[in-house]
Amino acid sequence: MTSMPLMRIPYTTPLPSPTIIPSSASTLQGAVAALGDFITAPARSGVGNGKTVILSGAGISVASGLADYRGTNGTYTLNKTYRPIYFHEFSASHEARKRYWARSYLGWTNLHRSSPNKSHVAVANLGKTGLLSSVITQNVDSFHSKAHPTLRTLELHGYLRSTVCLSCRTEYNRDEFQKDLSNLNPSWATFLDEMLKSGALTTENPEARRSRGLKTNPDGDVDVPDVEYTTFRYPACPVCLKNPPKGTKVELDDDGAWSSTSTAGVLKPAVIMFGESIPGHVKLAVESAIDEASRMLILGSSLATYSAWRLVKRAKEQGKPIAIVNIGGVRGEEQFVADISSDSSGAQGLRCSLPLEDVLPALVGNLSPDTSKWSTMRNDSFQPAPWR
Ligand SMILES: [Zn+2]
């Protein structure tokens, strides 16, 4: 199993509604108490470093104004017309790339202006208590690394802040790339300017955005009805342009954009697209983050992608307690939490379906006054008895 390539693939079967465990976790107060027990419970002897690894998904970024495109049933309910681009389409088709980059161009300003929300800040504060060992995120918005630069973040599906060349793997700053796109597409730059002035791209309110004919998707792109994507231009990789890889050619069209006569130098966002394999070093890093921790906390993910689901399965197989905070169903969740008693404290794991921006700050509030006491208590519990 571990030698299989990991691929990012969507999963769209509707998911059943969750069973709340323990039953006390159906209220905010009960859920926060159960999570407090979960995150401060002493680790079973010899299992991990005593800390928690977090796995976060789109649900944690919703409050930053980015749509959670899977909806509550694990399907693409919020934006029915949205279909993510597949890696094979992007790498094979110039037309698909024009469409992708045009939408990404319009969505970038909004993504760039949105910022970590209360939930990311709460994760940062949890990190300061020493309770967390690392954060694995499926999100590509860089909010975790912005909110907690010193608490380790592993980006399972890459990040939008860079582009990467498919031929030479050189990475470039996405902001600089945006300027190149503006220069190559002056009429689009004017359109973007107008949209920004109208407020359609800057409002946090999805209704207001929709009423202006725009939808922002979680990968940071924007749907615009009735536009001709085929006029869009995108630049070639500067490294490959200067020095094309052996046996390839990289050419520009009259406007200075990547020409379809080229056979290399294509730039891609540094995200793992659907149908693309997760790089070996990322796979290893996230697996060791699971292996070294003592328990796993899932925040705002329906585990719809196999690459995320199998990480939780890995932790479960190691006998580690699992806690899931997600609105709506989670793929295969019964096998992660079914063995937990409905009247337990939360230390063995839990499942709740409440908003993260309510649960996480309250959890931090509950823990903070006792943090110093808590770490003393924990050390005490590991003191060997004097007669041994
Ligand atoms: Zn290159």
Side-chain angles (χ1 to χ4, degrees):
M1 279 301 280
T2 50
S3 61
M4 272 173 64
L6 258 192
M7 207 166 266
R8 187 180 177 191
I9 45 169
Y11 177 87
T12 53
T13 307
L15 296 159
S17 295
T19 305
I20 304 307
I21 305 170
S23 42
S24 59
S26 56
T27 66
L28 178 61
Q29 205 182 9
V32 170
L35 263 175
D37 278 348
F38 174 81
I39 208 164
T40 60
R44 260 198 307 126
S45 174
V47 180
N49 57 11
K51 299 184 181 190
T52 298
V53 58
I54 284 179
L55 171 67
S56 76
I60 199 170
S61 290
V62 171
S64 292
L66 303 178
D68 174 5
Y69 58 85
R70 280 185 228 292
T72 52
N73 290 318
T75 51
Y76 301 108
T77 48
L78 288 188
N79 185 353
K80 284 189 194 305
T81 58
Y82 176 61
R83 191 183 68 82
I85 190 167
Y86 277 73
F87 178 63
H88 66 87
E89 295 174 279
F90 186 91
S91 44
S93 163
H94 182 41
E95 291 306 310
R97 290 194 292 271
K98 288 188 208 169
R99 183 170 180 276
Y100 177 87
W101 283 127
R103 290 152 52 106
S104 169
Y105 174 69
L106 298 177
W108 179 249
T109 313
N110 179 57
L111 184 80
H112 199 51
R113 282 181 185 172
S114 55
S115 50
N117 62 59
K118 287 201 275 192
S119 301
H120 298 100
V121 173
V123 169
N125 288 328
L126 282 178
K128 286 177 196 158
T129 66
L131 293 166
L132 306 179
S133 53
S134 42
V135 175
I136 301 167
T137 187
Q138 297 168 257
N139 300 336
V140 293
D141 50 34
S142 307
F143 290 162
H144 278 290
S145 45
K146 271 186 199 161
H148 45 81
T150 54
L151 170 63
R152 183 171 56 152
T153 302
L154 300 164
E155 295 165 300
L156 186 61
H157 293 153
Y159 37 87
L160 284 168
R161 61 180 176 274
S162 303
T163 60
V164 59
C165 174
L166 287 178
S167 307
C168 70
R169 307 307 299 181
T170 305
E171 289 195 15
Y172 301 93
N173 183 298
R174 179 64 181 77
D175 284 324
E176 297 302 316
F177 185 80
Q178 184 78 357
K179 289 178 198 159
D180 290 346
L181 293 180
S182 289
N183 292 335
L184 289 172
N185 302 280
S187 60
W188 285 77
T190 308
F191 173 70
L192 176 58
D193 225 36
E194 283 165 10
M195 294 313 280
L196 289 172
K197 279 188 188 124
S198 81
L201 288 164
T202 49
T203 173
E204 299 266 313
N205 181 350
E207 284 306 315
R209 230 183 258 158
R210 261 195 290 274
S211 72
R212 291 168 166 115
L214 279 175
K215 292 170 184 167
T216 307
N217 296 313
D219 276 358
D221 59 4
V222 164
D223 287 329
V224 187
D226 311 320
V227 293
E228 204 52 70
Y229 293 111
T230 192
T231 61
F232 204 76
R233 301 274 179 275
Y234 57 86
C237 167
V239 169
C240 288
L241 184 63
K242 211 171 166 189
N243 193 6
K246 208 166 185 250
T248 68
K249 53 176 181 170
V250 181
E251 294 173 341
L252 300 181
D253 66 12
D254 294 342
D255 299 322
W258 188 90
S259 158
S260 57
T261 56
S262 306
T263 57
V266 167
L267 295 174
K268 184 187 81 83
V271 296
I272 309 299
M273 290 181 161
F274 286 108
E276 182 175 6
S277 290
I278 291 170
H281 71 274
V282 175
K283 186 172 171 255
L284 280 178
V286 294
E287 285 173 355
S288 29
I290 305 285
D291 298 352
E292 72 182 21
S294 292
R295 63 190 78 77
M296 187 168 191
L297 171 58
I298 292 100
L299 300 177
S301 174
S302 58
L303 304 180
T305 52
Y306 177 70
S307 48
W309 178 83
R310 71 179 277 288
L311 292 177
V312 186
K313 187 164 170 279
R314 185 184 182 95
K316 187 66 183 177
E317 284 170 354
Q318 293 171 358
K320 292 170 180 173
I322 309 287
I324 303 173
V325 186
N326 184 61
I327 306 243
V330 167
R331 179 189 186 184
E333 62 178 279
E334 55 292 339
Q335 62 187 290
F336 299 136
V337 291
D339 53 345
I340 306 162
S341 154
S342 65
D343 59 358
S344 60
S345 69
Q348 298 309 307
L350 67 102
R351 173 66 167 104
C352 82
S353 185
L354 294 164
L356 287 170
E357 57 271 30
D358 295 340
V359 173
L360 292 179
L363 173 65
V364 172
N366 270 11
L367 290 173
S368 299
D370 295 311
T371 304
S372 54
K373 227 193 300 169
W374 173 80
S375 53
T376 320
M377 271 162 52
R378 239 167 74 100
N379 289 338
D380 288 349
S381 69
F382 288 109
Q383 291 282 326
W387 54 84
R388 268 169 59 194

